[in-house]
Amino acid sequence: MLRFFRLLREEIQVIFDRDPAAKSVWEIIFCYPGFHAVIFHRIAHFFYQRKLYFIARLISHISRFLTGIEIHPGAKIGKGFFIDHGSGVVIGETTEIGNNVTIYQGVTLGGTGKEKGKRHPTIGNNVTISAGAKVLGSFTVGDNVKIGAGSVVLKSVPPNCTVVGVPGRIVIRDGVKVENSKVEIDLEHHMLPDPIEETLSAMQAKIAELERRLARYEEEALLNADLQHAKSAKGRTDSAKSA
């Protein structure tokens, strides 16, 4: 029982650390579905490890009904796990999540088919997965990774990277590492590069350069035409004088 209350205290502190909207312990206990889902999962996973699968799935199903968050009781989740808002979150059976991971609403950690065995992703430590992102398949997402909103990740991501897009593309590699002594989770999931915007900006700059070059060529062509016209007119005048 003492261990359970220690777990509650740790989970509550995680929410205070990462959600500025949290005002009190009672608010977290009664009004945070992400907190409820994690506690339900800890209990369900306890029964799942002891092969009491029906009880584990029943607790998981009740949690889903109450919170709108579906976490299979077989999923392995480390310390400091935080689900912000949480509606529509789905975490598959063989998912493994490290410590100090933050995910937002609509995230799916799922599989890609009917294969047996390990079929869901392994998420490293200090990872942030933004709203609506899908991480599908049996691969590893390294430590200190940030996955942008709406991204679809289908292959492994090395540590210290930022991933955006469909399919997910690495846009930042070897970012700032999280110090082990004082873990500070990077929650700025809206401050991500936009590769499409960058590409369009590069295209616009290239088009502007081509337009300048074309205008210069047209001016040179017009100047050459005027010179040729003047020479032709002078030639005709000289011929008339000779005659």
Side-chain angles (χ1 to χ4, degrees):
M1 184 61 68
L2 181 62
R3 182 180 177 184
F4 180 74
F5 281 110
R6 187 183 302 115
L7 173 65
L8 287 178
R9 186 173 60 192
E10 291 175 354
E11 299 294 347
I12 289 170
Q13 187 59 48
V14 166
I15 295 175
F16 274 125
D17 290 342
R18 301 186 207 169
D19 187 0
K23 300 295 189 299
S24 69
V25 171
W26 295 113
E27 180 184 5
I28 292 173
I29 291 175
F30 288 102
C31 304
Y32 272 66
F35 171 77
H36 302 154
V38 171
I39 297 302
F40 272 118
H41 173 72
R42 303 293 188 196
I43 299 171
H45 187 67
F46 173 84
F47 287 104
Y48 188 89
Q49 288 179 311
R50 286 151 182 79
K51 298 185 179 181
L52 299 172
Y53 299 128
F54 175 75
I55 296 176
R57 287 303 300 269
L58 180 61
I59 294 172
S60 175
H61 185 71
I62 293 171
S63 174
R64 177 187 178 186
F65 177 78
L66 294 175
T67 67
I69 299 168
E70 181 175 352
I71 307 176
H72 194 283
K76 299 177 182 178
I77 299 177
K79 296 180 179 180
F81 182 56
F82 177 45
I83 304 175
D84 197 2
H85 300 292
S87 179
V89 167
V90 177
I91 300 176
E93 178 184 12
T94 60
T95 301
E96 297 178 34
I97 299 176
N99 298 325
N100 305 309
V101 172
T102 302
I103 67 176
Y104 290 82
Q105 67 272 17
V107 167
T108 298
L109 305 179
T112 56
K114 296 182 180 180
E115 67 275 11
K116 300 293 184 180
K118 184 75 167 85
R119 59 191 184 278
H120 299 103
T122 297
I123 309 298
N125 302 318
N126 313 317
V127 173
T128 298
I129 307 177
S130 303
K134 314 299 178 186
V135 185
L136 307 175
S138 178
F139 53 82
T140 299
V141 174
D143 297 344
N144 311 317
V145 166
K146 185 190 295 183
I147 298 175
S151 300
V152 178
V153 182
L154 301 173
K155 59 183 180 180
S156 297
V157 180
N160 310 313
C161 291
T162 298
V163 177
V164 299
V166 182
R169 300 178 300 279
I170 296 172
V171 293
I172 294 178
R173 187 185 296 270
D174 296 326
V176 178
K177 294 183 180 180
V178 178
E179 297 294 337
N180 293 329
S181 59
K182 177 64 176 178
V183 176
E184 295 182 0
I185 306 301
D186 183 0
L187 300 179
E188 299 294 334
H189 59 105
H190 64 291
M191 301 294 291
L192 298 176
D194 187 344
I196 297 177
E197 181 181 1
E198 292 174 358
T199 301
L200 291 175
S201 296
M203 291 176 61
Q204 289 176 340
K206 189 64 176 179
I207 291 171
E209 179 186 353
L210 292 173
E211 288 178 341
R212 287 194 297 269
R213 292 173 61 183
L214 179 60
R216 187 169 64 251
Y217 292 149
E218 289 178 344
E219 290 177 359
E220 292 177 355
L222 183 60
L223 180 60
N224 291 334
D226 291 341
L227 291 175
Q228 292 177 358
H229 179 72
K231 290 180 180 179
S232 298
K234 183 178 179 182
R236 290 195 298 270
T237 302
D238 293 343
S239 298
K241 289 180 179 180
S242 301

PDB file of all heavy atoms in Angstrom, residues 171-186:
ATOM      1  N   VAL A 171      14.247  16.140 -39.239  1.00  0.00           N
ATOM      2  CA  VAL A 171      14.584  17.509 -39.630  1.00  0.00           C
ATOM      3  C   VAL A 171      15.602  18.146 -38.686  1.00  0.00           C
ATOM      4  O   VAL A 171      16.186  19.177 -39.030  1.00  0.00           O
ATOM      5  CB  VAL A 171      13.315  18.389 -39.727  1.00  0.00           C
ATOM      6  CG1 VAL A 171      12.436  17.937 -40.879  1.00  0.00           C
ATOM      7  CG2 VAL A 171      12.535  18.372 -38.425  1.00  0.00           C
ATOM      8  N   ILE A 172      15.783  17.572 -37.543  1.00  0.00           N
ATOM      9  CA  ILE A 172      16.849  18.024 -36.648  1.00  0.00           C
ATOM     10  C   ILE A 172      17.533  16.787 -36.081  1.00  0.00           C
ATOM     11  O   ILE A 172      16.869  15.865 -35.615  1.00  0.00           O
ATOM     12  CB  ILE A 172      16.317  18.891 -35.489  1.00  0.00           C
ATOM     13  CG1 ILE A 172      15.749  20.208 -36.011  1.00  0.00           C
ATOM     14  CG2 ILE A 172      17.411  19.163 -34.464  1.00  0.00           C
ATOM     15  CD1 ILE A 172      15.173  21.094 -34.941  1.00  0.00           C
ATOM     16  N   ARG A 173      18.853  16.763 -36.155  1.00  0.00           N
ATOM     17  CA  ARG A 173      19.622  15.635 -35.629  1.00  0.00           C
ATOM     18  C   ARG A 173      20.624  16.161 -34.606  1.00  0.00           C
ATOM     19  O   ARG A 173      21.181  17.244 -34.762  1.00  0.00           O
ATOM     20  CB  ARG A 173      20.358  14.923 -36.778  1.00  0.00           C
ATOM     21  CG  ARG A 173      21.059  13.644 -36.361  1.00  0.00           C
ATOM     22  CD  ARG A 173      21.860  13.089 -37.537  1.00  0.00           C
ATOM     23  NE  ARG A 173      21.019  12.705 -38.645  1.00  0.00           N
ATOM     24  CZ  ARG A 173      20.490  11.491 -38.795  1.00  0.00           C
ATOM     25  NH1 ARG A 173      20.732  10.566 -37.887  1.00  0.00           N
ATOM     26  NH2 ARG A 173      19.737  11.212 -39.838  1.00  0.00           N
ATOM     27  N   ASP A 174      20.851  15.387 -33.587  1.00  0.00           N
ATOM     28  CA  ASP A 174      21.796  15.770 -32.531  1.00  0.00           C
ATOM     29  C   ASP A 174      21.419  17.107 -31.904  1.00  0.00           C
ATOM     30  O   ASP A 174      22.225  18.044 -31.865  1.00  0.00           O
ATOM     31  CB  ASP A 174      23.230  15.826 -33.068  1.00  0.00           C
ATOM     32  CG  ASP A 174      23.717  14.462 -33.528  1.00  0.00           C
ATOM     33  OD1 ASP A 174      23.305  13.476 -32.899  1.00  0.00           O
ATOM     34  OD2 ASP A 174      24.475  14.394 -34.503  1.00  0.00           O
ATOM     35  N   GLY A 175      20.189  17.196 -31.442  1.00  0.00           N
ATOM     36  CA  GLY A 175      19.749  18.400 -30.735  1.00  0.00           C
ATOM     37  C   GLY A 175      20.307  18.438 -29.327  1.00  0.00           C
ATOM     38  O   GLY A 175      21.180  17.668 -28.945  1.00  0.00           O
ATOM     39  N   VAL A 176      19.774  19.360 -28.524  1.00  0.00           N
ATOM     40  CA  VAL A 176      20.239  19.529 -27.148  1.00  0.00           C
ATOM     41  C   VAL A 176      19.826  18.305 -26.323  1.00  0.00           C
ATOM     42  O   VAL A 176      18.673  17.894 -26.340  1.00  0.00           O
ATOM     43  CB  VAL A 176      19.637  20.802 -26.520  1.00  0.00           C
ATOM     44  CG1 VAL A 176      20.085  20.947 -25.076  1.00  0.00           C
ATOM     45  CG2 VAL A 176      20.060  22.019 -27.333  1.00  0.00           C
ATOM     46  N   LYS A 177      20.780  17.741 -25.603  1.00  0.00           N
ATOM     47  CA  LYS A 177      20.508  16.558 -24.799  1.00  0.00           C
ATOM     48  C   LYS A 177      19.959  16.943 -23.421  1.00  0.00           C
ATOM     49  O   LYS A 177      20.275  17.996 -22.895  1.00  0.00           O
ATOM     50  CB  LYS A 177      21.795  15.734 -24.617  1.00  0.00           C
ATOM     51  CG  LYS A 177      22.312  15.141 -25.927  1.00  0.00           C
ATOM     52  CD  LYS A 177      23.533  14.282 -25.684  1.00  0.00           C
ATOM     53  CE  LYS A 177      24.036  13.687 -26.995  1.00  0.00           C
ATOM     54  NZ  LYS A 177      25.236  12.831 -26.773  1.00  0.00           N
ATOM     55  N   VAL A 178      19.153  16.061 -22.875  1.00  0.00           N
ATOM     56  CA  VAL A 178      18.589  16.275 -21.547  1.00  0.00           C
ATOM     57  C   VAL A 178      19.583  15.790 -20.515  1.00  0.00           C
ATOM     58  O   VAL A 178      20.079  14.672 -20.586  1.00  0.00           O
ATOM     59  CB  VAL A 178      17.259  15.515 -21.390  1.00  0.00           C
ATOM     60  CG1 VAL A 178      16.694  15.690 -19.994  1.00  0.00           C
ATOM     61  CG2 VAL A 178      16.272  15.995 -22.434  1.00  0.00           C
ATOM     62  N   GLU A 179      19.911  16.644 -19.531  1.00  0.00           N
ATOM     63  CA  GLU A 179      20.859  16.276 -18.475  1.00  0.00           C
ATOM     64  C   GLU A 179      20.225  15.242 -17.554  1.00  0.00           C
ATOM     65  O   GLU A 179      19.055  15.327 -17.178  1.00  0.00           O
ATOM     66  CB  GLU A 179      21.247  17.516 -17.660  1.00  0.00           C
ATOM     67  CG  GLU A 179      21.976  18.574 -18.476  1.00  0.00           C
ATOM     68  CD  GLU A 179      23.344  18.093 -18.948  1.00  0.00           C
ATOM     69  OE1 GLU A 179      23.881  17.168 -18.302  1.00  0.00           O
ATOM     70  OE2 GLU A 179      23.852  18.622 -19.944  1.00  0.00           O
ATOM     71  N   ASN A 180      20.996  14.225 -17.203  1.00  0.00           N
ATOM     72  CA  ASN A 180      20.490  13.167 -16.334  1.00  0.00           C
ATOM     73  C   ASN A 180      20.201  13.656 -14.922  1.00  0.00           C
ATOM     74  O   ASN A 180      19.314  13.164 -14.248  1.00  0.00           O
ATOM     75  CB  ASN A 180      21.501  12.016 -16.273  1.00  0.00           C
ATOM     76  CG  ASN A 180      21.635  11.316 -17.610  1.00  0.00           C
ATOM     77  OD1 ASN A 180      20.684  11.262 -18.369  1.00  0.00           O
ATOM     78  ND2 ASN A 180      22.812  10.794 -17.900  1.00  0.00           N
ATOM     79  N   SER A 181      20.968  14.657 -14.492  1.00  0.00           N
ATOM     80  CA  SER A 181      20.813  15.108 -13.112  1.00  0.00           C
ATOM     81  C   SER A 181      19.519  15.887 -12.894  1.00  0.00           C
ATOM     82  O   SER A 181      18.921  15.825 -11.841  1.00  0.00           O
ATOM     83  CB  SER A 181      22.001  15.995 -12.715  1.00  0.00           C
ATOM     84  OG  SER A 181      22.078  17.114 -13.596  1.00  0.00           O
ATOM     85  N   LYS A 182      19.081  16.604 -13.914  1.00  0.00           N
ATOM     86  CA  LYS A 182      17.853  17.395 -13.794  1.00  0.00           C
ATOM     87  C   LYS A 182      17.093  17.271 -15.096  1.00  0.00           C
ATOM     88  O   LYS A 182      17.381  17.937 -16.089  1.00  0.00           O
ATOM     89  CB  LYS A 182      18.181  18.868 -13.515  1.00  0.00           C
ATOM     90  CG  LYS A 182      16.961  19.781 -13.457  1.00  0.00           C
ATOM     91  CD  LYS A 182      16.043  19.429 -12.316  1.00  0.00           C
ATOM     92  CE  LYS A 182      14.882  20.422 -12.211  1.00  0.00           C
ATOM     93  NZ  LYS A 182      13.943  20.084 -11.135  1.00  0.00           N
ATOM     94  N   VAL A 183      16.105  16.379 -15.117  1.00  0.00           N
ATOM     95  CA  VAL A 183      15.364  16.103 -16.342  1.00  0.00           C
ATOM     96  C   VAL A 183      14.381  17.228 -16.601  1.00  0.00           C
ATOM     97  O   VAL A 183      13.524  17.520 -15.771  1.00  0.00           O
ATOM     98  CB  VAL A 183      14.621  14.750 -16.241  1.00  0.00           C
ATOM     99  CG1 VAL A 183      13.779  14.534 -17.472  1.00  0.00           C
ATOM    100  CG2 VAL A 183      15.616  13.616 -16.050  1.00  0.00           C
ATOM    101  N   GLU A 184      14.512  17.875 -17.734  1.00  0.00           N
ATOM    102  CA  GLU A 184      13.582  18.922 -18.131  1.00  0.00           C
ATOM    103  C   GLU A 184      13.023  18.547 -19.498  1.00  0.00           C
ATOM    104  O   GLU A 184      13.725  18.580 -20.500  1.00  0.00           O
ATOM    105  CB  GLU A 184      14.282  20.280 -18.200  1.00  0.00           C
ATOM    106  CG  GLU A 184      14.780  20.751 -16.834  1.00  0.00           C
ATOM    107  CD  GLU A 184      15.431  22.114 -16.910  1.00  0.00           C
ATOM    108  OE1 GLU A 184      15.483  22.656 -18.039  1.00  0.00           O
ATOM    109  OE2 GLU A 184      15.865  22.611 -15.876  1.00  0.00           O
ATOM    110  N   ILE A 185      11.767  18.158 -19.526  1.00  0.00           N
ATOM    111  CA  ILE A 185      11.158  17.678 -20.754  1.00  0.00           C
ATOM    112  C   ILE A 185      10.848  18.852 -21.672  1.00  0.00           C
ATOM    113  O   ILE A 185      10.276  19.863 -21.252  1.00  0.00           O
ATOM    114  CB  ILE A 185       9.862  16.897 -20.455  1.00  0.00           C
ATOM    115  CG1 ILE A 185      10.160  15.783 -19.444  1.00  0.00           C
ATOM    116  CG2 ILE A 185       9.273  16.329 -21.718  1.00  0.00           C
ATOM    117  CD1 ILE A 185      11.209  14.803 -19.904  1.00  0.00           C
ATOM    118  N   ASP A 186      11.229  18.718 -22.930  1.00  0.00           N
ATOM    119  CA  ASP A 186      10.966  19.761 -23.918  1.00  0.00           C
ATOM    120  C   ASP A 186       9.530  19.625 -24.402  1.00  0.00           C
ATOM    121  O   ASP A 186       9.199  18.698 -25.134  1.00  0.00           O
ATOM    122  CB  ASP A 186      11.950  19.609 -25.086  1.00  0.00           C
ATOM    123  CG  ASP A 186      11.795  20.713 -26.121  1.00  0.00           C
ATOM    124  OD1 ASP A 186      10.918  21.587 -25.916  1.00  0.00           O
ATOM    125  OD2 ASP A 186      12.540  20.700 -27.105  1.00  0.00           O
TER     126      ASP A 186
END
